Amino acid sequence: MKLSDIAISPFIHTLRGTFRQESHRGYNQIQQFEMAEEYRKPGQFQGPTNTVEVTGESHFGSVDNEHATNEAVSHGLQQIEAKKVHWYSYLATTDFWIVLLLGQLLALCITATNTFSTFLVNYGTSIPAFQTVFMYILLSLIYLTYTLWVYGPKKYGKILLKDGWKYFILSFLDVEGNYFTVLAYRYTNLLSAQLINFWAIVVVVIISFLLLRVRYKIFQIVGILVCCGGMGILLASDHIQGTNGGAGENMVKGDLFALLGATCYGLSNVFEEWYVSKRPMYEVLSFMGMFGMIINGVQAAIFDRESFQQATWNGEVIGYLVGYTLVLAFFYSIVPFLFRIASAAFYNVSLLTGNFWGTIIGIHVFGYTIHFMYPIAFVCIIVGLTVYFVAGSVLGESKKPWLGDNQEEGIAGFGTAKLKALNMARKQGLAPTSSVENAV
């Protein structure tokens, strides 16, 4: 499915027929129990009326195995969604706490990279494009190597020829989002740049609504607004303390760069969520690393050449570059999982706590003082993140609307609703352990 088809294709609706009751001959004990009359109660899962034989020779991509997988996913989703749901149902799941903690872990990673960048600037080493190219090189070394080992050069080459342009667009948006956001801070002040970064959330919500046909619930909208309100309190406290950076060198120019960077960020987040819902995470990251290394390397050679020559180079600077690269690579490795189990919108609002964590680190590292409004703002953002998942299904946002009713267009990787449904079906004895490829 091409990216351009998302906006024009209707949802894939799978018609589920009523299963006929047949003889129990040939079924195992679990299936016989599930097809018994006393098991068929309103709202409960009904067992299948046919069996699919899966042999050791079956392989992913065969019609029979794909059909068996889709059947198993359909049954698993029915089983999960048939459970009685309360407004707090998702909040009581392990997934919610994983999502919440992952969001804050990513916010801490962003804070750590900002801290390393501050150390570099203090040493007179300001090379924003050049310092990021090492992260893309590391991603390539890890994920491109692994993907070539799994696929082989021939299969990887075919994917490159067929879908390489899509991954190039994703990488370009990601690189430019980083570049223009950093560039904006040179011309505008801190308060203005952070306010404009809210635009990334707006872009994510609008693009997800229009292209991916995501329909946000009222509590999700309220949760986003509460998070933005908490961020507003953080910015207000900075303004009160006079730590917003004062007047910028060229406010209009800087604000335009910030707006462009936030737009690229929002677009890249939505497109990456779409990619990782359909393809293995290691494949997506391998292409992002490869293309990002090329694009960012060219930009660094053009725009950072003079800064590179004037930069200070010593052991501490190299250590900060290594720390920056490792933390950012870890950040990029975790983001796809959050996109699968939650969404690009939740990811963006989770990062709003970055200012709070930055202040906590700044107290111990740079001697900052904390304003009394900061804890209030942090609590508001966490409350907003919790409200975001109120009255949702037990699957949260892992069930993606663009993948079809039974997620047949998606991959059964870590964090996906498809894998959860398959695991449920396996517990019921309705799906073989080999019914889907080993995907990440």
Side-chain angles (χ1 to χ4, degrees):
M1 180 176 181
K2 295 181 179 180
L3 182 60
S4 58
D5 293 337
I6 300 177
I8 60 176
S9 299
F11 281 122
I12 302 171
H13 295 287
T14 304
L15 301 178
R16 302 189 182 96
T18 305
F19 297 106
R20 295 176 298 143
Q21 182 174 0
E22 299 179 7
S23 171
H24 289 179
R25 182 179 180 181
Y27 294 90
N28 59 40
Q29 293 181 353
I30 294 177
Q31 291 170 320
Q32 290 180 25
F33 170 74
E34 290 173 341
M35 291 187 292
E37 289 298 328
E38 61 270 17
Y39 184 75
R40 298 186 178 184
K41 298 178 182 179
Q44 285 191 317
F45 170 75
Q46 296 184 5
T49 58
N50 60 342
T51 57
V52 178
E53 181 180 355
V54 180
T55 66
E57 298 178 356
S58 63
H59 60 278
F60 176 74
S62 67
V63 176
D64 291 340
N65 194 40
E66 185 175 350
H67 176 73
T69 298
N70 289 336
E71 282 290 311
V73 172
S74 175
H75 300 325
L77 288 174
Q78 289 181 46
Q79 179 86 340
I80 294 172
E81 295 178 332
K83 296 178 180 179
K84 189 175 181 180
V85 178
H86 303 281
W87 65 268
Y88 56 84
S89 292
Y90 187 71
L91 304 183
T93 64
T94 304
D95 281 359
F96 167 73
W97 295 102
I98 291 175
V99 166
L100 191 64
L101 292 175
L102 276 181
Q104 295 314 296
L105 178 61
L106 292 175
L108 278 169
C109 287
I110 288 293
T111 302
T113 58
N114 291 339
T115 303
F116 283 122
S117 295
T118 302
F119 282 141
L120 290 171
V121 171
N122 291 342
Y123 267 93
T125 305
S126 179
I127 45 175
F130 184 80
Q131 72 186 50
T132 307
V133 75
F134 292 113
M135 184 276 298
Y136 288 112
I137 292 174
L138 182 58
L139 286 183
S140 295
L141 289 175
I142 297 172
Y143 296 106
L144 180 57
T145 302
Y146 180 75
T147 306
L148 286 172
W149 179 74
V150 173
Y151 287 170
K154 186 176 180 180
K155 182 178 178 180
Y156 191 81
K158 289 181 179 179
I159 296 174
L160 177 62
L161 291 175
K162 180 182 178 183
D163 298 324
W165 64 275
K166 301 177 187 177
Y167 285 118
F168 181 85
I169 292 175
L170 171 62
S171 300
F172 179 80
L173 291 171
D174 182 65
V175 170
E176 299 312 317
N178 288 326
Y179 179 75
F180 283 110
T181 299
V182 173
L183 193 61
Y185 283 94
R186 293 184 182 179
Y187 297 99
T188 189
N189 62 22
L190 181 65
L191 178 63
S192 182
Q194 289 179 332
L195 282 172
I196 293 175
N197 281 339
F198 279 112
W199 176 246
I201 300 174
V202 177
V203 171
V204 167
V205 171
I206 292 176
I207 299 301
S208 297
F209 182 85
L210 294 178
L211 297 188
L212 302 186
R213 300 189 179 183
V214 176
R215 297 298 176 256
Y216 293 96
K217 300 178 178 66
I218 184 63
F219 281 104
Q220 289 177 301
I221 300 298
V222 171
I224 291 174
L225 293 177
V226 172
C227 289
C228 291
M231 183 63 180
I233 295 175
L234 280 176
L235 297 178
S237 65
D238 286 342
H239 182 70
I240 292 172
Q241 296 180 94
T243 58
N244 59 7
E249 178 182 333
N250 189 329
M251 294 291 290
V252 174
K253 186 177 181 179
D255 289 348
L256 288 175
F257 282 145
L259 189 64
L260 183 57
T263 302
C264 290
Y265 266 140
L267 290 171
S268 67
N269 291 162
V270 175
F271 292 160
E272 186 176 354
E273 182 186 357
W274 182 80
Y275 283 122
V276 297
S277 69
K278 289 174 165 288
R279 303 300 305 166
M281 291 190 293
Y282 57 81
E283 177 189 307
V284 177
L285 290 172
S286 72
F287 280 109
M288 288 186 70
M290 181 178 67
F291 286 125
M293 176 177 59
I294 296 171
I295 297 169
N296 209 43
V298 172
Q299 275 195 198
I302 297 173
F303 299 108
D304 278 357
R305 184 168 50 189
E306 184 177 349
S307 299
F308 182 83
Q309 294 173 349
Q310 298 175 354
T312 301
W313 297 101
N314 55 38
E316 290 186 336
V317 167
I318 293 174
Y320 296 146
L321 280 174
V322 170
Y324 176 89
T325 300
L326 292 177
V327 172
L328 196 57
F330 176 76
F331 175 86
Y332 270 72
S333 300
I334 298 298
V335 167
F337 181 71
L338 186 63
F339 283 160
R340 280 183 175 176
I341 198 171
S343 66
F346 183 84
Y347 158 79
N348 275 273
V349 294
S350 294
L351 296 185
L352 294 180
T353 57
N355 275 34
F356 176 82
W357 296 119
T359 301
I360 297 299
I361 292 177
I363 291 173
H364 300 283
V365 178
F366 301 112
Y368 291 171
T369 57
I370 190 170
H371 194 270
F372 75 92
M373 295 172 70
Y374 264 67
I376 299 174
F378 180 77
V379 171
C380 281
I381 295 174
I382 296 299
V383 168
L385 295 175
T386 305
V387 171
Y388 185 88
F389 284 113
V390 167
S393 73
V394 291
L395 289 171
E397 292 186 296
S398 62
K399 186 177 181 182
K400 311 296 185 182
W402 61 88
L403 298 179
D405 287 344
N406 295 329
Q407 307 292 280
E408 58 270 15
E409 296 293 326
I411 189 171
F414 292 138
T416 62
K418 188 171 185 176
L419 183 59
K420 295 174 186 177
L422 276 173
N423 289 335
M424 176 62 73
R426 287 165 183 160
K427 289 180 181 179
Q428 301 293 331
L430 303 175
T433 57
S434 60
S435 63
V436 69
E437 80 279 20
N438 294 323
V440 178

